[in-house]
Amino acid sequence: MSTSIVRSTASGGRTVALTFDDGPGPATGQVLDLLAQYGVKATFCQVGNQAAANPAMVRRIVAAGHRLCDHSVDHPQPFAALSHDRAVYEIAHAEEQIVQAAGPGAKVSWFRAPGGGFTADNQRVAAGLGLRPLGWSVDPRDWSRPGVASIVSTVQSQLKPGGVVLLHDGGGDRSQTVAALKQLLPWLAAQGYRFDFPAA
């Protein structure tokens, strides 16, 4: 298992991988509805405690054909400053929580460090658990609620073929993200993008 950070789609070309962090949360159902409307598959980077508290939503994500990513037990930051033992706990226990919530046969393919706080150590820990470290290439900073227009324009200007877009379905009020997604999904389709998962 490679320890290098993934920042591109599995198949390259005119593809895009949408990733959603910090959920499952109150907006996750709306995000899933929109993705279904456009036939889009995405990757959900879940906080272990959130997954454990919302197993029905995790199962809905899996049933719809989306993929799961480990985003730590409780999103401590700065993640890069954690001790080795704490990093092991945050990554390994979150994977267990997510798999347990998702049900038998569920697979978690990636680990995304909270805040992008990757280190050589936590990348090795993730790879040792069979999780590929997952970064991104487009970050509209939607978690900071910069406004719908800002989220949309940042994705449109930063995205290149094979890109990985960082969005959030949890961790606070995500109404701006949902509204931006309503504009971005038809735009991406009109630009000829196909939806893919990150490289694994």
Side-chain angles (χ1 to χ4, degrees):
M1 173 63 59
S2 173
T3 61
S4 63
I5 300 172
V6 174
R7 303 185 197 279
S8 60
T9 60
S11 49
R14 200 163 183 79
T15 58
V16 58
L18 298 182
T19 65
F20 295 92
D21 284 17
D22 298 356
T28 306
Q30 291 172 279
V31 169
L32 289 170
D33 290 344
L34 280 170
L35 295 175
Q37 189 182 331
Y38 288 93
V40 173
K41 299 291 182 268
T43 302
F44 288 81
C45 298
Q46 302 198 313
V47 173
N49 286 343
Q50 289 294 111
N54 299 280
M57 190 59 75
V58 181
R59 287 196 292 273
R60 184 179 160 194
I61 288 168
V62 173
H66 305 292
R67 301 266 176 95
L68 299 172
C69 167
D70 178 330
H71 197 41
S72 82
V73 172
D74 56 5
H75 207 279
Q77 288 182 281
F79 197 82
L82 299 187
S83 70
H84 172 78
D85 288 351
R86 178 75 191 278
V88 169
Y89 165 77
E90 287 286 339
I91 299 169
H93 186 52
E95 182 189 16
E96 291 166 7
Q97 290 176 299
I98 294 164
V99 168
Q100 188 167 7
K107 176 157 172 42
V108 179
S109 301
W110 301 271
F111 167 68
R112 175 174 278 165
F118 284 109
T119 62
D121 181 59
N122 66 41
Q123 286 166 239
R124 276 194 302 272
V125 170
L129 292 164
L131 306 173
R132 188 82 193 269
L134 177 59
W136 57 83
S137 61
V138 179
D139 179 11
R141 294 176 62 81
D142 64 314
W143 59 270
S144 67
R145 300 200 283 277
V148 176
S150 170
I151 297 170
V152 171
S153 65
T154 301
V155 173
Q156 290 177 340
S157 62
Q158 288 185 6
L159 181 62
K160 304 208 170 23
V164 175
V165 181
L166 170 61
L167 294 164
H168 293 75
D169 64 318
D173 175 2
R174 295 292 161 244
S175 53
Q176 290 185 9
T177 304
V178 171
L181 208 53
K182 284 179 183 163
Q183 297 179 40
L184 285 168
L185 290 171
W187 179 82
L188 288 163
Q191 298 296 312
Y193 275 96
R194 289 177 300 108
F195 295 90
D196 197 5
F197 295 113

